[in-house]
Amino acid sequence: MTSLAGLPAFLLTLATAVGLTGLYLVIYTVATAHNELALIRRDVVAAAVALGGSLVGFTLPLAVAIYNALSVLDCLVWGLVALIVQIALYWLVRLAVPDLSRRIEEDRIAAAILLGAVSLAGGLLNAAAMTE
């Protein structure tokens, strides 16, 4: 049964990744001035686009952190770095578009696409930087 020998490490890493992703979603939704989940429940596409781009922008570097991690602690540290970068990207977009939350609440897709694109681009750069 050596094929299952790595199962405990896999489960620990997966639980860490799921926990970090949950933490990210909580912190991100608290950091924004709008309630993404309530908006998504009302079929506000802009909220789903912005949150979806942000989530993928976070999980890209998290996946690289998992791949390169020497330990679960290493994965945690780099996952937290990815979280901080994504929150900072949100605030940078808010500086450029001060009424970002109002636009998303009004389902104005351009602002959501910008936020999602910045989140994805930042996530890709963050992931690439973690390979050094």
Side-chain angles (χ1 to χ4, degrees):
M1 276 253 176
T2 59
S3 61
L4 294 178
L7 186 60
F10 162 78
L11 291 174
L12 180 59
T13 302
L14 182 61
T16 301
V18 168
L20 281 167
T21 302
L23 178 66
Y24 173 72
L25 287 171
V26 168
I27 290 173
Y28 182 84
T29 56
V30 168
T32 61
H34 54 278
N35 185 334
E36 286 86 353
L37 295 178
L39 293 171
I40 291 168
R41 286 185 189 111
R42 290 191 353 238
D43 289 328
V44 176
V45 174
V49 168
L51 182 61
S54 176
L55 182 60
V56 174
F58 170 73
T59 57
L60 282 168
L62 180 58
V64 170
I66 290 167
Y67 182 78
N68 290 317
L70 302 174
S71 67
V72 173
L73 179 61
D74 203 25
C75 178
L76 271 170
V77 168
W78 287 106
L80 291 172
V81 168
L83 187 151
I84 291 166
V85 167
Q86 282 299 313
I87 299 300
L89 289 169
Y90 166 76
W91 286 104
L92 285 174
V93 173
R94 267 201 63 187
L95 286 175
V97 184
D99 60 344
L100 178 67
S101 287
R102 182 181 56 77
R103 290 175 184 228
I104 289 172
E105 289 170 347
E106 294 173 354
D107 207 9
R108 294 168 63 189
I109 199 73
I113 291 172
L114 175 64
L115 179 56
V118 168
S119 296
L120 287 168
L124 284 170
L125 294 175
N126 191 4
M130 286 184 183
T131 62
E132 285 298 314

